[in-house]
Amino acid sequence: MKKTINIIGSGFSSLAASCYLANAGYKVTIFEKNKTIGGRARQLKKDGFVFDIGPTWYWMPDVFERFFSDFKRKPSDYYILEKLNPAYSVYYGKDDFITIEDTLEKIVKAFEKEEPGSSIKLNKFIKDAKDNYDVAIKDLVYNPGVSPFELITPTTIKKINQFFSTIKRDVRKEFKNERLIKILEFPVLFLGAKPSDTPSFYSFMNYADFGLGTFHPKKGMYQVILAMESLAKELGVNIKTESSIDNIIVENREAKGVISNGKTYFSDVVVSGADYHHTESLLEKPYRQYSEKYWGKKTFAPSSLLFYVGFNKKLKNVNHHTLFFDVDFEAHAHEIYDSPKWPENPLFYASFPSKTDSSSAPEGKEAGIFLIPLAPGLEDTQDLRDMYFEKIISRFENLTSQNVKNDIIFKESFCINDFINDYNSYKGNAYGMANTLLQTAFLRPKLKSKKVKNLFFTGQLTVPGPGVPPSLISGKLVASLITKYHN
């Protein structure tokens, strides 16, 4: 008889884990609390508009290819991928922006135009970043975070200084132009920490940005979730939606199953891809590995205030991805990490998928997603949401030289309270736990419970960390541990 596994949650890491485990011969059931699968990567459909609620950036295509190739599949078996050109643009002031195109050669020219002599420095910086990418993505991040010795290889020993320097220090040592510095510091924000707190080794994110490029799955990021669902079902995974978990059954310090909507589902193994802190709250206190004090001391990635906006016309002077860095980055970062409060002058990001994807909006209209990074755990009210929308949309109009307020058909918002209600997210964080030096690899919460046999975790609060590609990898890592410890 097949051994059974119950998986909590249906985000990228849970779906990935389900595929690997089903492929290894387990009978796998996924329990998802919401009506649709995908965890944070759900969709909003309204009046002919389609929005990705969660992730909108498709970086590191090789990680997706590696995932599907593990099952003798390709991403193209499930969705169409388009490389964006331009990848994104960055606004610094009214009608003042830099465009990042789709090849390193073009990006180097843009840098040289902005700061003479910077092209040589950028080529060297990206070459070093590629070296780090090769070490990290092809090797280090596929380790399960069990031991510090996973980080020690002949290559990493040569790079040891990069774990004790920071991205901010390295970038500013080579580049003096603040506009270019902001572009080079931007990718590590996906890791959830300030550039001044992110080890230099993570420059591999710059290679992901400039070297590999930015992609868009036709019909949106949710197509990746649908692809993984399709693969999981091909492999025999059973998925139950609207099935929140009441608690995890533990007998004699061993996970025996879950209770969902009052009904008991026994299994040989329990895996949680839900919020780690929330998952431990489903256990009696003696079985929890990490205290409230532990979580309270950790550096969490930001939360977000998101708006999904339907515009009654096509917008000008923006690209599919557009960043608005016209205010003080350091001040906003301080208000996220050091002195948590609602930011006075927030940076923000906007995505207009209908610029490249006609399925995102009715003809002649534009779909807009606006994101303001916030400290987790802040007060979240409708009045605050409305005030911040007015702040950024007024700046947006000024910076891009167009009037749009009167062309808004609707706007929906999503913020801290929604992250808590929909995802049981700790303090309403959006991206998990930041990848700082003391929260890297074996220093992150463990994939395998130390207190409950046959209980495992996956996702952005454990290894390797926040982001979609790391979540795919996390699913593979936990499946490997289970097959190692449970067979």
Side-chain angles (χ1 to χ4, degrees):
M1 188 174 169
K2 281 186 177 180
K3 289 183 177 176
T4 56
I5 296 184
N6 289 332
I7 299 181
I8 305 170
S10 67
F12 284 105
S13 58
S14 291
L15 286 170
S18 77
C19 291
Y20 286 109
L21 290 165
N23 203 43
Y26 292 92
K27 185 180 179 184
V28 181
T29 303
I30 287 175
F31 296 81
E32 167 57 53
K33 76 184 284 285
N34 294 310
K35 289 182 180 178
T36 57
I37 65 160
R40 284 163 165 77
R42 294 182 297 154
Q43 272 187 328
L44 168 65
K45 294 183 179 180
K46 184 167 181 174
D47 298 347
F49 292 82
V50 182
F51 303 89
D52 281 313
I53 289 180
T56 53
W57 293 79
Y58 191 108
W59 272 9
M60 305 185 187
D62 50 322
V63 175
F64 295 85
E65 287 162 13
R66 185 165 170 177
F67 168 76
F68 284 106
S69 72
D70 284 342
F71 305 94
K72 297 183 171 53
R73 313 286 205 284
K74 303 186 295 293
S76 59
D77 293 335
Y78 299 96
Y79 54 88
I80 299 166
L81 204 57
E82 177 185 358
K83 190 173 189 182
L84 294 180
N85 187 30
Y88 56 91
S89 53
V90 184
Y91 269 90
Y92 299 98
K94 184 175 172 61
D95 303 320
D96 177 15
F97 58 88
I98 292 176
T99 298
I100 300 300
E101 294 190 74
D102 61 339
T103 67
L104 181 57
E105 188 181 17
K106 294 174 187 173
I107 296 166
V108 163
K109 286 179 182 174
F111 267 57
E112 185 64 27
K113 185 179 175 185
E114 184 70 26
E115 181 184 323
S118 64
S119 59
I120 296 166
K121 293 175 181 176
L122 181 62
N123 272 319
K124 182 183 182 303
F125 186 82
I126 297 300
K127 180 180 179 295
D128 292 342
K130 182 184 185 303
D131 287 345
N132 287 352
Y133 190 89
D134 289 342
V135 173
I137 303 304
K138 293 175 183 174
D139 188 7
L140 290 187
V141 296
Y142 284 92
N143 285 318
V146 172
S147 161
F149 295 107
E150 292 170 0
L151 296 177
I152 301 170
T153 70
T155 309
T156 56
I157 287 169
K158 293 175 190 171
K159 294 177 177 285
I160 192 70
N161 290 340
Q162 293 194 33
F163 288 93
F164 297 99
S165 184
T166 67
I167 291 289
K168 179 176 180 177
R169 196 176 302 152
D170 286 9
V171 167
R172 290 169 187 268
K173 190 168 65 181
E174 297 296 336
F175 299 90
K176 305 304 172 201
N177 182 301
E178 277 295 327
R179 294 148 65 93
L180 300 184
I181 286 169
K182 283 182 178 179
I183 292 172
L184 288 168
E185 289 182 344
F186 149 68
V188 300
L189 298 180
F190 285 107
L191 301 171
K194 293 188 295 184
S196 57
D197 292 332
T198 303
S200 302
F201 183 72
Y202 285 105
S203 69
F204 65 72
M205 293 295 291
N206 293 102
Y207 176 71
D209 181 3
F210 289 179
L212 296 174
T214 303
F215 294 79
H216 174 72
K218 193 170 183 185
K219 297 188 179 177
M221 283 292 286
Y222 197 65
Q223 295 307 303
V224 186
I225 290 291
L226 294 178
M228 295 177 75
E229 177 192 33
S230 179
L231 174 59
K233 287 182 173 176
E234 288 171 43
L235 295 166
V237 176
N238 180 29
I239 300 175
K240 294 177 177 290
T241 54
E242 296 183 88
S243 298
S244 61
I245 302 299
D246 306 323
N247 62 285
I248 297 167
I249 303 164
V250 179
E251 294 175 7
N252 299 321
R253 297 194 170 272
E254 187 172 343
K256 292 291 188 180
V258 298
I259 298 174
S260 173
N261 297 335
K263 188 176 175 183
T264 299
Y265 297 86
F266 290 108
S267 62
D268 298 297
V269 176
V270 174
V271 181
S272 180
D275 179 274
Y276 206 125
H277 171 270
H278 168 72
T279 303
E280 290 222 310
S281 77
L282 301 173
L283 298 163
E284 292 177 15
K285 272 193 175 177
Y287 301 134
R288 298 174 194 172
Q289 303 171 93
Y290 304 108
S291 66
E292 288 299 322
K293 188 177 177 183
Y294 170 90
W295 294 112
K297 284 183 173 178
K298 293 299 167 186
T299 301
F300 273 79
S303 186
S304 299
L305 170 54
L306 290 137
F307 297 100
Y308 309 97
V309 186
F311 292 97
N312 202 24
K313 66 177 183 182
K314 301 302 286 183
L315 303 190
K316 302 180 299 181
N317 306 326
V318 290
N319 289 312
H320 186 125
H321 296 298
T322 309
L323 304 166
F324 294 87
F325 286 179
D326 55 307
V327 297
D328 186 344
F329 174 88
E330 295 289 342
H332 189 177
H334 181 77
E335 291 162 330
I336 293 174
Y337 295 101
D338 306 321
S339 179
K341 62 181 177 181
W342 280 83
E344 198 168 325
N345 293 303
L347 288 81
F348 66 98
Y349 151 70
S351 174
F352 303 96
S354 44
K355 285 288 173 192
T356 51
D357 192 338
S358 61
S359 70
S360 300
E363 191 174 349
K365 297 179 170 59
E366 203 86 87
I369 301 167
F370 295 82
L371 182 154
I372 302 172
L374 296 174
L378 298 179
E379 178 192 20
D380 171 16
T381 67
Q382 191 59 50
D383 285 347
L384 280 165
R385 296 186 190 198
D386 292 341
M387 182 177 83
Y388 275 83
F389 184 74
E390 179 59 34
K391 272 191 183 211
I392 63 168
I393 206 69
S394 296
R395 267 173 52 204
F396 177 82
E397 286 188 321
N398 176 56
L399 293 165
T400 63
S401 297
Q402 62 188 319
N403 297 317
V404 301
K405 287 180 188 176
N406 293 334
D407 296 288
I408 293 173
I409 304 167
F410 65 82
K411 71 171 169 69
E412 300 283 343
S413 64
F414 198 96
C415 197
I416 289 167
N417 290 347
D418 302 299
F419 281 103
I420 294 169
N421 293 335
D422 288 8
Y423 312 129
N424 296 309
S425 171
Y426 180 72
K427 292 187 176 180
N429 81 81
Y431 307 109
M433 191 185 284
N435 262 336
T436 60
L437 177 61
L438 296 178
Q439 294 180 177
T440 291
F442 67 97
L443 295 171
R444 296 179 70 81
K446 302 300 182 189
L447 290 165
K448 183 177 184 290
S449 173
K450 294 175 288 188
K451 292 194 172 184
V452 180
K453 189 180 176 186
N454 297 333
L455 174 61
F456 296 81
F457 300 82
T458 186
Q460 56 190 6
L461 287 186
T462 181
V463 291
V468 177
S471 292
L472 294 182
I473 294 167
S474 188
K476 181 173 186 173
L477 292 176
V478 78
S480 297
L481 272 188
I482 289 166
T483 53
K484 177 181 175 183
Y485 283 103
H486 196 264
N487 281 344

